[in-house]
Amino acid sequence: MSLLTDLINLNLSESGTEKIIAEYIWIGGSGMDIRSKARTLPGPVSDPSKLPKWNYDGSSTGQAPGEDSEVILYPQAIFRDPFRRGKNILVICDAYTPAGEPIPTNKRHNAAKIFSHPDVTSEEPWYGIEQEYTLLQKDINWPLGWPIGGFPGPQGPYYCGTGADKAYGRDIVDAHYKACIYAGINISGINGEVMPGQWEFQVGPSVGISAGDEVWAARYILERITEIAGVVVSFDPKPIQGDWNGAGAHTNYSTKSMRNDGGYEVIKKAIEKLKLKHKEHIAAYGEGNERRLTGKHETADIHTFSWGVANRGASVRVGRDTEKNGKGYFEDRRPASNMDPYVVTSMIAETTILLKP
């Protein structure tokens, strides 16, 4: 085993080669399955536009028919590879037909169009995404640390808790945290969540399309680390029914106008626009979200839009500091943990910036 570990950790540069390994990453047919494969490149690359396009068998990922299965990967963002290290890279890609049309599951393409709109670009939209997830025991799909077939004590001591009877899987969480920093992802923190076995990491503040790229890269790294640990990561918004918190992806958001003096009025107008588009946003905010947004466990009811200052039972929460300073940001608490960050971030920008009152 030690020899295997030594080989995995080989530093390619010690052999005198300039060659690097690039892991191309894309989103599969379900919208949540992360796929990847690796290729050798002749030397280091730091600009995605300098990377070659590649292809894959879309019939094996639910994204193309067998008789016309080729899907083309377009490199879009580069991160350092925390697994192979050295000058090796992770490459976030989106997917197109051979004719250059984005395939239906390519949500990045439309998001990039929204973020490149001059009105959106001038507002410099910032995002901070709170990605919650649940760690599960591999063969039984039951939360890590829970007795098999049974339940732990009720919620209360687990949120930001410490100790072997309160925090389950911290080694995975901390490994992920450091790997994301190494990769160049703008990860800003982690914490244990209300339900035992549930954790959260935060990405941001990130500008525009980079928020989606960074969340998907962080999800990929988490999937790889849990693979190594023999644990399953779940992004289900309500993995355990009953009196247990669900898992969300609260999305913090601001524009330049909101961050400047007088921004609180801009925030209130933006929230009114979100209210008008509540149904459309809910429809795009993740599968199974109706099991989470019940009006209980720090959520608002899925059918009703509400907002408030410091209110974690509202659809949209405004922080006390924002109200006090008259400028800042707000938090959309509706997105589920399995949301597509490209969809959510671009939709918030489109509704709050491009939708005319």
Side-chain angles (χ1 to χ4, degrees):
M1 183 61 76
S2 61
L3 177 59
L4 180 61
T5 302
D6 288 345
L7 289 171
I8 290 171
N9 292 327
L10 270 178
N11 184 346
L12 296 181
S13 64
E14 290 179 359
S15 69
T17 184
E18 286 290 310
K19 293 179 180 179
I20 67 155
I21 301 170
E23 189 79 24
Y24 279 43
I25 301 162
W26 71 97
I27 301 155
S30 75
M32 273 304 292
D33 55 319
I34 305 174
R35 310 286 181 131
S36 77
K37 60 177 182 172
R39 68 182 297 166
T40 306
L41 299 177
V45 181
S46 58
D47 180 352
S49 68
K50 302 288 196 250
L51 288 167
K53 294 174 183 174
W54 206 6
N55 63 72
Y56 67 92
D57 171 17
S59 69
S60 296
T61 63
Q63 293 171 297
E67 65 273 12
D68 188 15
S69 64
E70 192 167 286
V71 180
I72 312 301
L73 292 171
Y74 287 33
Q76 299 291 0
I78 292 175
F79 298 92
R80 291 187 295 275
D81 186 339
F83 303 102
R84 296 187 177 105
R85 306 183 193 179
K87 294 180 180 179
N88 303 299
I89 54 176
L90 305 178
V91 184
I92 296 293
C93 304
D94 58 355
Y96 295 80
T97 67
E101 294 295 318
I103 65 172
T105 51
N106 179 354
K107 306 303 182 185
R108 191 188 190 279
H109 179 78
N110 185 63
K113 285 202 296 185
I114 292 169
F115 284 121
S116 64
H117 190 288
D119 292 350
V120 176
T121 304
S122 65
E123 281 288 355
E124 293 180 16
W126 291 3
Y127 297 91
I129 297 173
E130 305 171 28
Q131 176 69 72
E132 295 179 339
Y133 60 93
T134 308
L135 297 174
L136 303 176
Q137 300 171 58
K138 181 168 174 259
D139 296 322
I140 58 173
N141 280 340
W142 198 240
L144 196 66
W146 289 34
I148 296 174
F151 296 86
Q155 295 183 153
Y158 309 108
Y159 171 70
C160 298
T162 55
D165 57 344
K166 303 178 194 71
Y168 308 129
R170 190 187 295 276
D171 52 346
I172 293 169
V173 176
D174 212 40
H176 176 251
Y177 193 3
K178 291 179 179 178
C180 285
I181 291 174
Y182 178 93
I185 294 167
N186 192 20
I187 188 169
S188 47
I190 57 165
N191 61 269
E193 270 302 330
V194 178
M195 189 183 86
Q198 188 184 91
W199 294 82
E200 172 184 302
F201 65 87
Q202 302 95 31
V203 169
S206 302
V207 180
I209 197 73
S210 64
D213 290 338
E214 292 184 10
V215 169
W216 276 115
R219 284 175 172 177
Y220 170 80
I221 291 171
L222 181 58
E223 291 272 14
R224 286 284 305 276
I225 290 172
T226 53
E227 174 190 320
I228 293 166
V231 171
V232 173
V233 58
S234 170
F235 295 102
D236 189 287
K238 187 73 173 179
I240 305 294
Q241 295 303 306
D243 195 19
W244 304 98
N245 273 35
H250 301 156
T251 301
N252 299 276
Y253 170 71
S254 70
T255 62
K256 186 187 289 184
S257 298
M258 295 174 190
R259 296 187 293 270
N260 290 340
D261 290 343
Y264 192 34
E265 291 305 312
V266 180
I267 287 172
K268 288 193 282 189
K269 288 176 183 175
I271 292 172
E272 285 303 310
K273 290 181 180 180
L274 290 174
K275 181 179 180 180
L276 292 173
K277 291 285 187 177
H278 178 62
K279 287 185 179 178
E280 291 88 342
H281 279 253
I282 286 294
Y285 273 16
E287 294 291 326
N289 212 8
E290 72 282 350
R291 293 182 280 117
R292 168 180 162 262
L293 296 180
T294 61
K296 299 177 181 178
H297 304 110
E298 300 181 79
T299 70
D301 181 81
I302 194 169
H303 302 294
T304 307
F305 183 90
S306 60
W307 76 277
V309 175
N311 183 357
R312 282 180 162 77
S315 309
V316 170
R317 180 184 68 87
V318 174
R320 290 278 182 210
D321 284 347
T322 295
E323 181 188 42
K324 178 183 175 183
N325 297 331
K327 58 185 176 182
Y329 70 97
F330 65 83
E331 174 192 44
D332 191 339
R333 297 179 60 80
R334 297 171 295 171
S337 50
N338 60 2
M339 62 80 158
D340 188 320
Y342 293 134
V343 173
V344 169
T345 56
S346 62
M347 198 172 193
I348 292 173
E350 185 176 37
T351 297
T352 59
I353 300 171
L354 299 181
L355 180 66
K356 301 306 176 187

